[in-house]
């Protein structure tokens, strides 16, 4: 086995978004189709099938919120504002080099934002239904086919069955590897921290050579197991860390003031139920039967709060609690995210059911409330560590 | 005899509580935090030393927003955990709902056997806090405590803004209209109580002893107003402002 310097690997992954700025340009210069997407519902397989690169455009910094607010209302979720701001000001190389941007009719703010974006970019909006019933499923299958046709048309490539099958296999392999690394957190003494896991999950989204990525993830996993690291070092308490399940909105933009703080205060994030983790990596696309239907099924089943009702999220939380031996549930909400905020009551109830402490923290992309967030997190971990 | 010291550096006041072996309160002090929590932390320890407390051998836990600025503390614990433990010490009972009205924020803490079971905090907003009361009293050119007592004699006036800045201009508007001072005071206290209630009702209140800790603990009329609005008894007492410090001292006993 070739030995990896794991801290270095984690560091590279955490810098991956920045490091791939140049890569994306190289791909563009080679004529590779580049498709930008904002949401986990976007079926990446279709882009992989045309030999293109699907890149996440979801913005995580408050740098451009000011410019976004020149057009968008202030009381909108920071993820939407920041993403629009980066697009509008041309500050995101991934957006800039995207030949096509895909959005979905998820939450109200986001879908209306795409109407503005359309004015300066080629934007394709997929009509995402809001439950998993038969009629909704049919609509989503047809939306996926429409998307495929749009890609074929724009990039003049045919999505043959063979291409689609290999694309599905490849995306399944990425998900599977990320899942296996995530599952290392099930151990009583995991060999990586939640911060490190996040870096891998997030960084992987900016790795465009997926075959290479799969191989590297395999090596990382093997190394993690063989090197049997002891990660409790960095954790404050001498006792067992509080195992935390993180749920709620995507946390790319608030990660720094949440997860490292948890992990320096006697906690350990053992699972990400949100779009940075399970929603993105759980469940493969099946290969038997109609491929488009299988793709539709995999994505429509994502338990995002834009679904109503949203039983899949509750089921996922229930099983993660058991599998990852969770000691507490932390929900992170972005301000003005109505769907997740309303659903919060159900999560609180679920925590109660499992007799687990629960905390919901609403925080935006600024650092103004870092101290308050820290206080809440510390008090929460003190419930467990005393 | 061993000594256990809890230091609570709040945004407005710094408090210290000293406990002996049998958890008896040996001494407690309070002073304004001022502009520097480092300075006040030093002053407090000097004052304790002068009072004859064996600070050198004592176990010390710091809490409050300035807890990280207490270099001589053996450990820091959040004020949320400390208020839960301290309030349980002061008021007794295994099922408490602690309303900690602080200078800058208000926290609602569910304490079971002295441990935090759940808590809520208001966000980046001074409505329903000591700060709000202070600003309003200032606008009326009154001492906060006097304003609170005066409110007892007022009625039938409301201010609707929860934001301190807007509420202040509402109050100025009321003054301009010639509204009686006691009615304005009444409106202010009602507004604080309403804000506290809107937070507290997110927590289970049935079968709980509801207690108020923090700097407004002896603002009797405010406590009454909270109780009236919740439709249940709400208690507090003089010592409740030391709940955080006492809790911290109790944590020091666990070191
Ligand atoms: S939280 Fe929902 S809307 Fe947002 S990226 Fe995830 S799936 Fe899409
Ligand atoms: S976090 Fe909420 S409001 Fe923001 S884009 Fe996602 S679903 Fe919409």
């Amino acid at each position: 086995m070739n030995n990896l310097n794991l801290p270095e690997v984690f560091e590279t992954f955490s810098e991956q978004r920045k490091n791939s700025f140049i890569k994306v340009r190289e791909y563009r210069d080679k004529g590779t189709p580049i498709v930008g997407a904002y949401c986990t519902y976007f079926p990446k397989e279709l882009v992989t099938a045309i030999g293109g690169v699907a890149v996440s455009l979801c913005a995580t910094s408050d740098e451009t919120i000011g410019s976004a607010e020149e057009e968008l209302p202030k009381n909108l979720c920071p993820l939407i504002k920041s993403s629009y701001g980066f697009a509008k000001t041309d500050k995101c190389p991934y957006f800039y080099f995207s030949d096509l941007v895909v959005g979905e009719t998820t939450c109200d703010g986001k879908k209306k934002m795409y109407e503005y974006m359309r004015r300066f970019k080629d934007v394709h909006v997929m009509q995402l239904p809001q439950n998993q019933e038969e009629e909704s499923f049919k609509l989503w299958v047809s939306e996926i086919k429409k998307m495929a046709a749009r890609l074929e048309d724009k990039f003049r490539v045919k999505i043959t069955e063979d291409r689609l099958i290999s694309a599905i296999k490849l995306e399944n392999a990425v998900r599977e590897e990320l899942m296996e690394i995530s599952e290392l957190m099930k151990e009583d003494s995991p060999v990586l921290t939640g911060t490190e896991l996040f870096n891998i999950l997030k960084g992987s989204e900016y790795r465009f050579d997926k075959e290479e990525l799969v191989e590297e993830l395999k090596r990382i996993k093997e190394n993690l197991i063989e090197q049997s690291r002891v990660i409790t070092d960095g954790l404050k308490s001498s006792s067992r860390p509080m195992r935390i399940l993180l749920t709620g909105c995507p946390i790319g933009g608030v990660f720094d003031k949440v997860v490292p703080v948890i992990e320096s205060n006697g906690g350990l994030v053992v699972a990400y139920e949100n779009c940075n983790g399970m929603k993105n990596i759980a469940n493969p696309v099946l290969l038997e039967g109609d491929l488009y239907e299988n793709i539709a099924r995999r994505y429509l089943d994502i338990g995002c709060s834009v679904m109503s009702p949203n039983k899949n999220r509750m089921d996922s939380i229930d099983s993660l609690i058991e599998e990852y031996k969770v000691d507490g549930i932390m929900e992170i909400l972005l301000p003005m995210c109505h769907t997740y905020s309303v659903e919060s009551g159900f999560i609180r109830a679920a925590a109660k059911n499992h007799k687990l402490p629960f905390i919901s923290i609403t925080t935006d992309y600024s650092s103004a409330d870092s101290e308050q967030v820290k206080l809440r997190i510390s008090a929460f971990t003190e419930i467990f560590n005393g | 005899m061993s000594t256990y010291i809890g230091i609570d550096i709040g945004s407005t006041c710094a408090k210290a509580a000293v406990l002996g072996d049998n958890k008896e309160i040996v001494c407690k002090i309070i002073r304004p935090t001022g502009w520097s929590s480092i300075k006040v932390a030093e002053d407090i320890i000097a004052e304790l030393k002068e009072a004859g407390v064996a600070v050198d051998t004592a176990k010390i836990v710091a809490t409050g927003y300035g807890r990280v600025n207490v270099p001589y503390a053996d450990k820091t614990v959040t004020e949320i955990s400390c208020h839960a433990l301290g309030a349980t010490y002061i008021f007794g009972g295994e099922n408490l709902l602690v309303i900690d009205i602080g200078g800058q924020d208000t926290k609602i803490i569910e304490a079971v056997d002295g441990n935090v079971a759940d808590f809520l905090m208001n966000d980046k907003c001074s409505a329903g806090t000591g700060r709000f009361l202070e600003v309003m009293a200032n606008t009326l050119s009154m001492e906060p405590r006097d304003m609170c007592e005066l409110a007892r004699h007022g009625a039938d006036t409301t201010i609707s803004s929860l934001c301190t800045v807007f509420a202040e201009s509402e109050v100025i508007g009321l003054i301009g209209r010639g509204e009686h001072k006691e009615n304005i005071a009444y409106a202010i206290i009602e507004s604080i109580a309403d804000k506290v209630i809107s937070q507290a009702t997110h927590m289970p209140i049935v079968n709980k002893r509801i207690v108020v800790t923090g700097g407004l603990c002896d603002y009797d009329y405010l406590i009454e107003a909270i109780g009236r609005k919740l439709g249940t008894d709400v208690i507090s007492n003089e010592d409740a402002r030391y709940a955080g410090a006492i809790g911290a001292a109790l944590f020091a006993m666990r070191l």
Side-chain angles (χ1 to χ4, degrees):
Chain A
M1 188 184 76
N2 79 26
N3 259 318
L4 295 175
N5 178 341
L6 288 169
E8 227 164 66
V9 171
F10 295 132
E11 186 59 30
T12 319
F13 270 84
S14 86
E15 296 289 312
Q16 195 63 53
R17 186 175 176 278
K18 255 188 246 144
N19 294 345
S20 294
F21 284 168
I22 295 165
K23 266 264 154 11
V24 75
R25 196 202 166 115
E26 283 170 23
Y27 276 89
R28 210 273 311 255
D29 292 346
K30 277 191 293 188
T32 308
I34 297 167
V35 179
Y38 286 98
C39 173
T40 316
Y41 281 107
F42 176 64
K44 302 189 263 278
E45 284 77 0
L46 301 180
V47 178
T48 310
I50 58 162
V53 162
V55 58
S56 161
L57 299 177
C58 181
T60 57
S61 126
D62 63 354
E63 186 187 328
T64 59
I65 287 183
S67 342
E69 283 175 353
E70 288 165 12
E71 292 170 65
L72 296 171
K74 268 195 181 349
N75 57 345
L76 200 59
C77 132
L79 188 158
I80 301 174
K81 285 191 289 191
S82 156
S83 296
Y84 183 72
F86 272 99
K88 181 190 152 187
T89 56
D90 254 343
K91 276 190 180 153
C92 170
Y94 296 119
F95 184 88
Y96 182 81
F97 290 119
S98 291
D99 301 297
L100 178 69
V101 166
V102 183
E104 295 76 15
T105 52
T106 49
C107 63
D108 290 348
K110 225 175 181 183
K111 74 184 181 207
K112 298 302 286 183
M113 179 271 277
Y114 295 129
E115 294 176 25
Y116 276 24
M117 195 179 271
R118 245 192 203 132
R119 296 171 307 174
F120 51 83
K121 194 81 181 177
D122 190 359
V123 178
H124 177 96
V125 175
M126 300 178 77
Q127 296 294 319
L128 176 75
Q130 312 223 314
N131 62 33
Q132 285 86 13
E133 283 167 23
E134 200 43 39
E135 292 306 311
S136 300
F137 177 64
K138 279 191 192 141
L139 169 63
W140 190 230
V141 174
S142 84
E143 282 298 305
I144 288 181
K145 289 185 175 159
K146 235 195 244 172
M147 178 80 249
R150 178 79 202 274
L151 291 169
E152 290 183 317
D153 190 48
K154 178 154 179 127
F155 299 105
R156 317 220 155 270
V157 204
K158 186 99 195 90
I159 302 183
T160 61
E161 189 169 351
D162 283 350
R163 278 168 171 258
L164 195 53
I165 289 176
S166 357
I168 292 173
K169 283 186 178 159
L170 188 54
E171 294 299 339
N172 279 348
V174 174
R175 280 189 284 259
E176 194 183 315
E177 288 310 320
L178 289 172
M179 196 63 189
E180 286 186 11
I181 293 181
S182 302
E183 284 177 340
L184 294 174
M185 302 306 285
K186 288 182 179 174
E187 298 297 318
D188 286 335
S189 319
V191 290
L192 74 169
T193 63
T195 304
E196 290 165 342
L197 174 62
F198 182 89
N199 288 339
I200 297 280
L201 291 167
K202 183 95 197 122
S204 295
E205 288 182 43
Y206 300 96
R207 292 290 294 267
F208 307 134
D209 186 332
K210 303 226 166 151
E211 272 155 30
E212 200 186 275
L213 173 66
V214 169
E215 288 314 308
E216 180 164 10
L217 291 173
K218 277 199 177 116
R219 272 204 307 279
I220 293 173
K221 183 187 63 197
E222 283 162 13
N223 269 272
L224 277 166
I225 295 169
E226 304 235 334
Q227 295 186 19
S228 49
R229 304 162 74 225
V230 182
I231 51 104
T232 32
D233 284 0
L235 305 168
K236 190 173 109 181
S237 71
S238 49
S239 55
R240 180 168 89 71
M242 180 186 200
R243 301 170 62 91
I244 290 174
L245 169 65
L246 219 80
T247 182
C249 299
I251 56 161
V254 300
F255 176 82
D256 286 337
K257 58 180 174 179
V258 174
V259 181
V261 176
I262 294 174
E263 301 199 326
S264 57
N265 277 284
L268 181 71
V269 177
V270 290
Y272 298 92
E273 185 276 327
N274 59 15
C275 277
N276 303 104
M278 294 303 168
K279 284 191 174 68
N280 191 25
I281 64 174
N283 305 325
V285 173
L286 301 181
L287 284 157
E288 307 80 54
D290 184 281
L291 296 177
Y292 284 101
E293 287 189 5
N294 295 349
I295 293 176
R297 180 53 68 207
R298 192 265 157 206
Y299 286 95
L300 192 63
D301 277 347
I302 291 173
C304 170
S305 60
V306 296
M307 293 292 161
S308 176
N310 186 20
K311 186 171 174 297
N312 290 354
R313 181 175 178 214
M314 303 314 296
D315 289 348
S316 161
I317 288 178
D318 280 339
S319 53
L320 291 171
I321 289 173
E322 300 299 334
E323 289 168 29
Y324 288 80
K325 303 184 209 92
V326 165
D327 299 314
I329 302 178
M330 187 178 292
E331 176 180 69
I332 302 295
L333 301 177
L334 297 175
M336 306 297 157
C337 174
H338 300 317
T339 53
Y340 276 103
S341 307
V342 173
E343 234 172 69
S344 182
F346 292 135
I347 312 302
R348 181 178 282 273
K352 202 164 198 155
N353 244 341
H354 288 271
K355 299 198 168 50
L356 290 176
F358 169 78
I359 188 174
S360 178
I361 297 178
T362 303
T363 184
D364 64 13
Y365 286 11
S366 79
S367 55
D369 63 348
S370 299
E371 282 307 310
Q372 276 113 317
V373 170
K374 198 174 183 179
L375 173 66
R376 278 165 214 231
I377 291 174
S378 316
F380 187 65
T381 53
E382 281 168 9
I383 292 179
F384 184 77
N385 291 317
Chain B
M1 190 192 96
S2 314
T3 307
Y4 306 94
I5 305 178
I7 309 270
D8 176 6
I9 314 281
S11 61
T12 318
C13 285
K15 285 99 13 188
V18 182
L19 299 187
D21 282 324
N22 301 315
K23 297 191 181 175
E24 74 285 10
I25 297 180
V26 177
C27 138
K28 45 188 204 258
I29 54 178
I30 183 164
R31 51 164 65 219
T33 301
W35 55 273
S36 159
S37 39
I38 300 182
K39 170 104 177 35
V40 80
E42 278 166 10
D43 291 350
I44 278 195
I45 203 75
E47 190 176 335
L48 288 176
K49 205 170 198 167
E50 220 159 89
V53 177
V55 295
D56 296 330
T57 54
K59 296 227 160 65
I60 305 177
V61 167
T63 187
Y65 101 106
R67 64 188 178 284
V68 290
N69 293 327
V70 183
Y72 50 81
D74 300 304
K75 188 183 177 180
T76 60
V77 178
T78 63
E79 52 270 39
I80 294 164
S81 302
C82 288
H83 273 267
L85 194 56
T88 306
Y89 171 95
I90 297 169
F91 298 102
E94 55 214 25
N95 259 308
L96 289 188
L97 192 73
V98 183
I99 302 177
D100 165 31
I101 308 180
Q104 273 186 342
D105 56 21
T106 295
K107 305 180 184 83
I108 315 288
I109 308 159
E110 191 188 346
V112 177
D113 293 327
N115 300 314
V116 176
D118 200 356
F119 66 91
L120 282 175
M121 268 169 78
N122 60 349
D123 284 284
K124 292 192 227 165
C125 166
S126 60
T129 68
R131 178 80 193 128
F132 183 87
L133 190 97
E134 216 173 86
V135 171
M136 296 308 139
N138 223 332
T139 314
L140 288 184
S141 315
M142 288 186 84
E143 281 299 312
R145 203 180 305 269
D146 299 341
M147 179 184 80
C148 187
E149 269 316 297
L150 184 66
R152 206 181 275 285
H153 308 290
D156 295 338
T157 310
T158 51
I159 48 176
S160 47
S161 309
L162 283 179
C163 164
T164 311
V165 180
F166 290 130
E168 193 180 2
S169 47
E170 258 190 83
V171 167
I172 292 170
L174 288 171
I175 298 172
R177 264 190 9 222
E179 187 59 77
H180 290 295
K181 224 177 185 179
E182 62 268 28
N183 291 345
I184 305 178
Y186 169 84
I188 292 167
I189 298 299
E190 288 290 298
S191 140
I192 298 175
D194 279 336
K195 175 70 191 179
V196 171
I197 298 309
S198 75
Q199 267 182 276
T201 44
H202 278 99
M203 291 286 214
I205 57 170
V206 209
N207 295 329
K208 301 255 176 224
R209 285 189 88 170
I210 303 177
V211 306
V212 174
T213 60
L216 302 185
C217 64
D218 55 355
Y219 283 53
D220 295 343
Y221 181 66
L222 174 64
I223 315 275
E224 281 170 45
I226 294 173
R228 167 163 43 81
K229 284 171 190 283
L230 278 176
T232 171
D233 280 346
V234 173
I235 51 174
S236 192
N237 73 28
E238 280 268 312
D239 270 351
R241 70 179 71 253
Y242 296 99
I246 293 172
L250 291 166
F251 272 109
M253 288 190 135
R254 298 181 184 176
L255 289 176

